[in-house]
Amino acid sequence: RILFIGTDAIYIDESNYFLITKRFFNALFTGNFEGTLVLPHPGITTCWINKITLKIAENFLNKELSLLETYYYPKLSFAIISSILVLIIYLLLNRVFNQKISIIASLLIALNPFLIAHSRIVGTDGLTPLFMTVSLLLFLLFIKENKLYYVPISGFFAGLAILTKVQGIFLIPFFLFLILFNFIFDLIKKNKIKLVHILKQIISPIFWAVGCSIVIVLILPVFWTKDYEQILNILNIKYEQLIRFLTRITPRFYLGTNRLEPIYSYYLVVLPFRLTPISFILAPLAFISIMFKKFNVYVRKYLKYIICFIFYIIFFLVMMSTFTYKGDRLILPVFPAIDILSAISIYILYNLFLDKYNFKHVNKKYKFISKNSFYLLVSVLIIIHIILYIPFFPHYLAYYNPLLGGAK
């Protein structure tokens, strides 16, 4: 994410976000709180990161920044924050699944070229999927361990996702669905359900809303006024603007013809072109493998959480397909989930391989391989991704799935 940052092309929306940042703080300092809520994607976290980064850089360097430096330091901040979020995702995956799955999954997320591309850009698309994934994993930890303190933290990261880009709102109905799904799953599997666990899940939306509200009130100046009627009026106006933007009739050149949105198959066509060959092949395999006992024996205790990620991907794609505002970067929130499913498949295949070729009785010649088989697997994954990057490094936005023809 950080290597050769600033040497790649300047993304077309970056200048817009610097302009939005300027307008945001001008509105804030003049008391025009309505002007701090910019739609369709609020980008509130982007504004704060830009302002704080540039202020620190100016004070540290003790000079006025050049145009290139004005772009470079925020880019660096976004890359560092994204890297920290990937580390948090690794730690959470380690609690939801196991260490091997968490290492593979976080590695796939960290090395995903489309995610890397947007993590090096001053904007909203790189942070939103990572905030949403952290929030989702924290909520799954609550479901797994029945500890309520995970819920407000999940809500906090969901609030950051919502304030970064409007897609984060998807988490609100999805987490309500997860509570219902968890109850139905336990009934079907005849798991022991304690009354205290049911009560915790019933009240969990309140705790989640509190965590989400805290971050929204803290960094969105619209809520800094005591005139609650004014707040409601502003939110109503902005909501109407947002709906008009997301559902406006939009012409699009699609599959060789001019068509009008909504085009419901758009993301089913676009998504595979942005996946890595590993995710393109192995993510669907995770869905298939959990249906067969021979394969799901290795991940049976994680079945509930695997199904949650599958629902997350399907529901998000369905939601985004109904809007007329489209673009491949808008479905970035499903990429970490797809990489996690790919990691599940790799873990299953890895264990099948170990079972078939019993390394417990190998001769001394292959002892090194048997002891370090997992690290060899990780090394192979890294090498595959490096090979993918070489043709277009550091211009990651130019990446397209080589199995579907690649960039042309």
Side-chain angles (χ1 to χ4, degrees):
R1 281 169 166 77
I2 296 174
L3 198 61
F4 286 90
I5 198 166
T7 61
D8 46 351
I10 293 175
Y11 190 59
I12 190 170
D13 282 345
E14 288 182 311
S15 59
N16 291 333
Y17 282 110
F18 281 114
L19 182 61
I20 290 170
T21 300
K22 184 178 179 181
R23 288 175 179 171
F24 176 89
F25 284 98
N26 284 342
L28 175 60
F29 294 144
T30 57
N32 175 22
F33 295 138
E34 181 181 354
T36 62
L37 183 55
V38 183
L39 293 177
H41 6 269
I44 306 300
T45 52
T46 303
C47 292
W48 283 105
I49 292 169
N50 283 345
K51 187 69 173 179
I52 293 170
T53 301
L54 292 174
K55 200 69 178 174
I56 292 172
E58 285 174 355
N59 291 336
F60 182 76
L61 298 173
N62 196 25
K63 67 168 188 175
E64 187 176 341
L65 299 179
S66 67
L67 179 62
L68 287 178
E69 288 172 330
T70 301
Y71 277 87
Y72 172 78
Y73 289 108
K75 279 174 174 281
L76 184 62
S77 293
F78 277 88
I80 292 171
I81 293 169
S82 299
S83 300
I84 292 170
L85 288 171
V86 172
L87 177 61
I88 293 171
I89 287 170
Y90 161 74
L91 295 173
L92 295 174
L93 282 169
N94 208 15
R95 300 286 296 273
V96 176
F97 298 105
N98 59 40
Q99 190 177 42
K100 285 186 171 65
I101 291 175
S102 63
I103 289 173
I104 297 169
S106 55
L107 184 68
L108 294 179
I109 293 169
L111 297 178
N112 188 302
F114 200 42
L115 273 173
I116 291 176
H118 285 278
S119 297
R120 294 159 56 94
I121 289 172
V122 177
T124 59
D125 297 298
L127 292 180
T128 305
L130 300 176
F131 283 140
M132 291 177 70
T133 304
V134 170
S135 179
L136 175 58
L137 288 170
L138 283 164
F139 201 83
L140 291 180
L141 269 177
F142 159 66
I143 289 175
K144 182 180 182 180
E145 300 181 8
N146 281 292
K147 294 177 180 176
L148 268 174
Y149 60 77
Y150 288 121
V151 180
I153 307 173
S154 170
F156 185 88
F157 278 97
L160 288 174
I162 292 168
L163 290 179
T164 305
K165 194 145 191 168
V166 71
Q167 287 100 314
I169 293 175
F170 166 78
L171 293 175
I172 298 173
F174 185 70
F175 285 160
L176 293 174
F177 164 78
L178 283 187
I179 295 170
L180 178 62
F181 166 75
N182 181 50
F183 180 72
I184 294 172
F185 183 91
D186 287 340
L187 284 178
I188 293 172
K189 290 292 182 179
K190 297 180 180 178
N191 296 335
K192 189 180 290 185
I193 305 173
K194 294 182 180 179
L195 179 61
V196 65
H197 293 168
I198 296 174
L199 292 174
K200 282 183 178 180
Q201 291 187 26
I202 290 173
I203 64 172
S204 64
I206 299 172
F207 283 79
W208 192 89
V210 168
C212 187
S213 300
I214 287 172
V215 68
I216 290 175
V217 171
L218 279 176
I219 68 174
L220 181 55
V222 166
F223 292 94
W224 293 4
T225 175
K226 292 182 180 179
D227 189 344
Y228 300 113
E229 187 175 341
Q230 182 188 8
I231 293 173
L232 289 174
N233 287 336
I234 292 171
L235 292 178
N236 282 331
I237 292 168
K238 296 295 183 180
Y239 173 76
E240 290 173 3
Q241 289 176 359
L242 177 63
I243 295 300
R244 283 198 298 270
F245 178 82
L246 294 176
T247 58
R248 73 191 192 282
I249 297 175
T250 308
R252 183 180 298 278
F253 188 75
Y254 177 70
L255 296 181
T257 60
N258 287 311
R259 296 175 61 179
L260 292 177
E261 289 282 8
I263 302 170
Y264 298 110
S265 63
Y266 178 82
Y267 287 122
L268 294 178
V269 174
V270 169
L271 177 62
F273 283 94
R274 288 298 194 175
L275 296 177
T276 63
I278 291 172
S279 296
F280 179 69
I281 296 170
L282 296 181
L285 189 62
F287 177 75
I288 297 169
S289 63
I290 61 174
M291 299 180 184
F292 299 95
K293 288 185 178 180
K294 182 181 178 181
F295 302 119
N296 69 29
V297 65
Y298 304 108
V299 292
R300 191 170 295 159
K301 62 181 177 179
Y302 309 125
L303 184 61
K304 181 189 293 184
Y305 316 114
I306 295 170
I307 295 173
C308 287
F309 280 110
I310 292 171
F311 277 131
Y312 175 86
I313 294 167
I314 293 171
F315 289 169
F316 187 84
L317 290 176
V318 168
M319 180 192 78
M320 295 305 296
S321 296
T322 61
F323 298 139
T324 58
Y325 176 59
K326 287 188 173 71
D328 53 8
R329 70 188 189 282
L330 301 183
I331 53 168
L332 269 166
V334 304
F335 278 67
I338 289 172
D339 287 331
I340 290 167
L341 291 183
S342 302
I344 298 291
S345 292
I346 292 170
Y347 179 75
I348 291 171
L349 293 172
Y350 169 74
N351 280 282
L352 282 170
F353 179 78
L354 292 183
D355 287 349
K356 185 172 182 179
Y357 302 98
N358 192 347
F359 283 114
K360 293 179 181 178
H361 306 292
V362 295
N363 57 41
K364 292 181 180 179
K365 185 179 178 182
Y366 299 104
K367 277 289 182 184
F368 175 82
I369 296 175
S370 64
K371 286 183 178 180
N372 300 281
S373 58
F374 180 73
Y375 299 105
L376 290 172
L377 170 64
V378 169
S379 300
V380 168
L381 291 175
I382 293 172
I383 291 168
I384 289 172
H385 282 84
I386 290 173
I387 292 170
L388 287 175
Y389 299 154
I390 288 173
F392 51 86
F393 172 83
H395 305 283
Y396 298 105
L397 277 174
Y399 171 82
Y400 286 90
N401 191 343
L403 295 182
L404 299 178
K408 293 180 179 178

